[in-house]
């Protein structure tokens, strides 16, 4: 599988970054099978969070054996220094490790969220202190929502974050404002050597009133051909990689699509966006 340098971290991350949310509702036996699957595909980067159900507890037993094989990123949804510091240490304990490669402010969806974490006594202070203590090497920011790229452009003006994580998919880029801000964010990240992770790459639309048929909070594309298009579309942007789906049953298809990735032209990307016009984006 192709690897790309994850910004200033210098880590050559596989373009498929394992999203630990896939383990959130699985028992240890099924989680072990998923871990064996990602190892068999050569994945070398894990992204997890305390909010992903039991994911930290499921990955934890593996860390004493394979910690050095993975770039390990975790997150906090706490907004205060005290809360974030406590959550970070709980995550270290649950994951059975003494350090993170990356720790991230999670779910920053608005300027109000950004104000909270970057203010005096905010969560960012805890991550800076953790970096000084050697508990994490790098600091990032993540978020969903229609304003995520715009918020992260402001975040990069306020603090020299090492990484960002935000959504890209066909339908989301039919929103002109979202697309303009996303493209500018990618440009700024390249200029500042900031690592870029993409989520929601195989998203089609919200579930709405329908009962979900996959372990995702959005309706995903599920056929291998379209998932391959989704992967080709996202990885043809100047980003580091894709955080894999939270549905463990779709994971193998996503991994194989990342292995089979082939760049597509700008013209073809435009046609895929045009075909998605009329599909309701996940974030509006």
């Amino acid at each position: 599988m192709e690897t790309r340098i994850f910004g200033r971290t210098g880590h050559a991350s596989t373009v498929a970054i394992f999203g630990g949310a896939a383990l959130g509702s699985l028992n240890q036996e099924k989680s072990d099978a998923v871990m064996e699957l990602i190892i068999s595909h050569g994945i070398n980067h894990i992204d997890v969070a305390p909010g992903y159900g039991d994911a930290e507890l499921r990955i934890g037993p593996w860390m004493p054996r394979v910690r050095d094989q993975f770039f390990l990123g975790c997150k906090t949804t706490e907004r205060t220094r005290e809360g974030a510091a406590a959550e970070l240490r709980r995550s270290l304990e649950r994951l059975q490790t003494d350090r993170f490669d990356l720790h991230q402010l999670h779910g920053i969806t608005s300027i109000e969220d950004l104000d909270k974490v970057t203010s005096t006594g905010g969560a960012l202070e805890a991550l800076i202190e953790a970096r000084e203590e050697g508990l994490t090497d790098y600091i990032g920011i993540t978020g969903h929502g229609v304003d995520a790229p715009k918020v992260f452009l402001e975040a990069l003006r306020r603090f020299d974050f090492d990484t960002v994580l935000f959504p890209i998919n066909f339908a989301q880029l039919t929103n002109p404002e979202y697309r303009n801000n996303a493209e500018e964010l990618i440009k700024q990240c390249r200029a500042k050597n900031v690592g870029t992770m993409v989520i929601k790459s195989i998203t089609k639309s919200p579930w709405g009133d329908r009962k979900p048929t996959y372990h995702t909070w959005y309706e995903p594309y599920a056929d291998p051909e379209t998932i391959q298009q989704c992967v080709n579309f996202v990885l043809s942007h100047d980003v580091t990689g894709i955080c894999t789906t939270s549905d463990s049953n779709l994971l193998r298809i996503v991994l194989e699509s990342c292995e089979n990735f082939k760049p597509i032209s700008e013209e073809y990307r435009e046609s895929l966006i045009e075909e998605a016009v009329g599909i309701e984006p996940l974030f509006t």
Side-chain angles (χ1 to χ4, degrees), residues 15-249:
V15 291
I17 296 164
F18 176 56
L23 306 180
S25 62
L26 301 185
N27 62 27
Q28 192 63 52
E29 182 181 1
K30 291 181 178 179
S31 295
D32 290 347
V34 171
M35 290 296 294
E36 289 169 358
L37 175 67
I38 68 167
I39 289 172
S40 73
H41 282 270
I43 304 306
N44 67 3
H45 187 153
I46 292 175
D47 185 78
V48 68
Y52 294 166
D54 290 333
E56 291 178 326
L57 294 173
R58 300 293 173 246
I59 294 171
W62 285 81
M63 285 296 99
R65 290 174 281 160
V66 302
R67 176 67 183 89
D68 291 341
Q69 296 179 33
F70 289 100
F71 185 97
L72 180 61
C74 197
K75 303 167 181 169
T76 180
T77 54
E78 294 289 334
R79 298 300 184 238
T80 66
R81 181 180 63 190
E82 292 79 7
E87 188 167 57
L88 184 150
R89 284 165 172 78
R90 283 196 300 271
S91 291
L92 288 171
E93 181 178 350
R94 286 157 63 94
L95 285 160
Q96 300 184 38
T97 185
D98 61 357
R99 64 179 179 85
F100 294 116
D101 296 293
L102 171 68
H103 209 274
Q104 301 153 99
L105 301 171
H106 187 36
I108 308 300
T109 60
S110 66
I111 294 298
E112 290 74 20
D113 283 338
L114 186 63
D115 289 341
K116 290 177 183 177
V117 296
T118 58
S119 64
T120 301
L124 179 58
E125 290 184 356
L127 271 59
I128 293 171
E129 290 169 0
R131 184 172 62 183
E132 292 170 349
E133 294 175 37
L135 300 180
T136 187
D137 293 328
Y138 300 100
I139 296 173
I141 188 167
T142 84
H144 315 79
V146 71
D147 293 325
K150 179 171 65 176
V151 171
F152 292 167
L153 285 167
E154 173 60 23
L156 291 177
R157 286 189 281 268
R158 296 189 186 188
F159 181 76
D160 193 20
F161 286 99
D162 299 303
T163 69
V164 300
L165 177 155
F166 68 105
I168 293 179
N169 56 66
F170 304 149
Q172 201 61 55
L173 293 194
T174 63
N175 178 327
E177 181 179 3
Y178 188 95
R179 179 179 179 179
N180 289 339
N181 286 325
E183 290 176 347
E184 181 61 23
L185 179 60
I186 292 171
K187 179 181 176 181
Q188 290 296 321
C189 286
R190 170 56 66 184
K192 297 174 182 290
N193 200 20
V194 172
T196 49
M197 293 179 285
V198 171
I199 52 173
K200 307 297 184 286
S201 58
I202 66 169
T203 298
K204 181 179 180 182
S205 60
W207 285 116
D209 295 330
R210 291 167 295 145
K211 182 179 179 180
T213 53
Y214 292 94
H215 185 61
T216 52
W217 57 277
Y218 54 87
E219 180 185 2
Y221 289 105
D223 65 285
E225 182 178 354
T226 307
I227 288 177
Q228 186 69 64
Q229 284 186 321
C230 293
V231 168
N232 291 346
F233 177 80
V234 172
L235 292 180
S236 292
H237 290 79
D238 189 9
V239 299
T240 305
I242 291 169
C243 287
T244 56
T245 174
S246 58
D247 187 284
S248 59
N249 294 314

